[in-house]
């Protein structure tokens, strides 16, 4: 599932069904950096997503060095395309800052592509570390070390197949723990919840919004630092 999953469920770009003419393609795009720790080394990769007000046929993005990245259709949303890095696509260096230009084409016949630009800065966050987990009163409590300058955190839980089953609401940047149980909201698929005796992966996402992003900042991410643990 694409990174920044927590925001994609909240973005709504809709066209009026009563309009006699098809709506003009309109898109929102974002480029940001993800950081993980592999074998004790901090690694970086670009991530991208676009969302439109109609079904997307294709989407790509060109970085400041003119390298082109193809985005992939989201499995659950025909209006969303994204690029999520695989573990082997992370590198030792921070990606290039500058303007990233997105080109999006809808499935509407005869409609030309739309371009959108998003700027990536060089601001980053420290690695986020999960300190401990504990079951208390049938709830899982996850504790982590506060990351300086993080605007918010999100916790997500994946099963052994890597499928997302739980995602938390946004957690304030000065918080260092989150507790949840099977009766809480946030389970990604209401019929699938954690079961005793099975192993799951916990991710804590420490998120930095773009500088100056005060209105709907969750649509303008600069950096996500990800810490993981099996439970």
């Amino acid at each position: 599932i694409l990174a920044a999953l927590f925001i994609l469920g909240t973005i709504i770009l809709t066209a009026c069904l009563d309009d006699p003419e098809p709506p003009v393609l309109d898109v929102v795009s974002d480029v940001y950096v993800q950081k993980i720790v592999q074998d004790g080394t901090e690694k970086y990769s670009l991530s991208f997503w676009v969302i439109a007000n109609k079904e997307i046929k294709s989407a790509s993005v060109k970085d400041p060095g003119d390298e082109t990245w193809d985005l992939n259709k989201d499995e659950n949303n025909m209006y969303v395309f994204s690029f999520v890095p695989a573990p082997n696509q992370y590198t030792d260096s921070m990606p290039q800052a500058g303007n990233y230009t997105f080109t999006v084409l809808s499935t509407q016949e005869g409609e030309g592509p739309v371009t959108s630009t998003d700027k990536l800065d060089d601001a980053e966050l420290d690695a986020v570390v999960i300190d401990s987990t504990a079951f208390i009163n049938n709830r899982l409590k996850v504790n982590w070390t506060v990351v300086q300058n993080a605007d918010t955190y999100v916790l997500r839980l994946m099963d052994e197949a890597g499928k997302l089953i739980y995602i938390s609401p946004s957690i304030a940047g000065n918080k260092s723990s989150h507790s949840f149980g099977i009766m809480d909201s946030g389970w990604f698929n209401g019929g699938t919840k954690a079961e005793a005796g099975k192993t799951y992966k916990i991710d804590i996402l420490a998120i930095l919004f773009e500088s100056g992003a005060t209105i709907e900042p969750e649509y303008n991410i600069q950096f996500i630092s990800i810490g993981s643990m099996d439970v």
Side-chain angles (χ1 to χ4, degrees):
I1 192 160
L2 55 113
L5 205 174
F6 79 106
I7 63 172
L8 289 179
T10 68
I11 302 173
I12 302 175
L13 292 177
T14 58
C16 179
L17 297 178
D18 295 329
D19 286 346
E21 297 293 335
V24 175
L25 178 63
D26 188 20
V27 302
V28 175
S29 59
D30 199 16
V31 53
Y32 56 95
V33 178
Q34 287 190 167
K35 177 163 75 175
I36 61 174
V37 177
Q38 292 179 337
D39 299 325
T41 301
E42 295 182 359
K43 301 279 189 175
Y44 303 83
S45 180
L46 289 164
S47 290
F48 311 99
W49 62 258
V50 296
I51 185 168
N53 60 337
K54 60 173 70 174
E55 187 172 355
I56 298 174
K57 181 178 181 180
S58 65
S60 62
V61 58
K62 183 176 291 187
D63 68 19
D66 285 338
E67 180 179 355
T68 299
W69 307 66
D70 291 322
L71 279 59
N72 301 309
K73 184 176 181 179
D74 184 79
E75 293 180 357
N76 302 306
N77 193 329
M78 61 185 178
Y79 300 106
V80 175
F81 270 56
S82 65
F83 171 81
V84 182
N88 62 358
Q89 291 177 302
Y90 286 81
T91 67
D92 293 338
S93 58
M94 179 77 170
Q96 184 178 3
N99 290 325
Y100 287 72
T101 302
F102 294 78
T103 301
V104 182
L105 183 65
S106 78
T107 58
Q108 181 179 327
E109 186 175 353
E111 184 174 39
V114 167
T115 60
S116 175
T117 301
D118 191 53
K119 184 178 181 180
L120 182 70
D121 293 327
D122 56 7
E124 65 173 287
L125 295 173
D126 292 335
V128 57
V129 177
I130 299 175
D131 295 321
S132 62
T133 63
F135 283 99
I136 303 173
N137 297 325
N138 293 320
R139 296 170 63 81
L140 178 63
K141 184 177 183 181
V142 182
N143 303 290
W144 61 86
T145 302
V146 170
V147 176
Q148 185 177 4
N149 298 324
D151 290 308
T152 189
Y153 300 94
V154 170
L155 181 149
R156 62 190 182 191
L157 188 72
M158 274 82 69
D159 64 17
E160 290 179 304
K163 181 180 179 181
L164 177 79
I165 61 171
Y166 172 83
I167 189 161
S168 75
S170 295
I171 303 165
N174 61 351
K175 300 296 184 181
S176 60
S177 67
H178 177 70
S179 298
F180 64 101
I182 60 172
M183 300 305 294
D184 291 308
S185 61
W187 296 97
F188 200 66
N189 182 335
T192 304
K193 296 184 179 181
E195 300 176 22
K198 292 188 176 182
T199 299
Y200 297 88
K201 180 186 176 186
I202 296 171
D203 283 343
I204 296 293
L205 283 64
I207 300 166
L208 176 67
F209 296 132
E210 293 178 11
S211 176
T214 57
I215 300 176
E216 298 181 329
E218 63 271 17
Y219 302 167
N220 297 281
I221 294 174
Q222 161 66 23
F223 196 94
I224 299 180
S225 178
I226 304 175
S228 303
M229 175 183 284
D230 288 337
V231 61

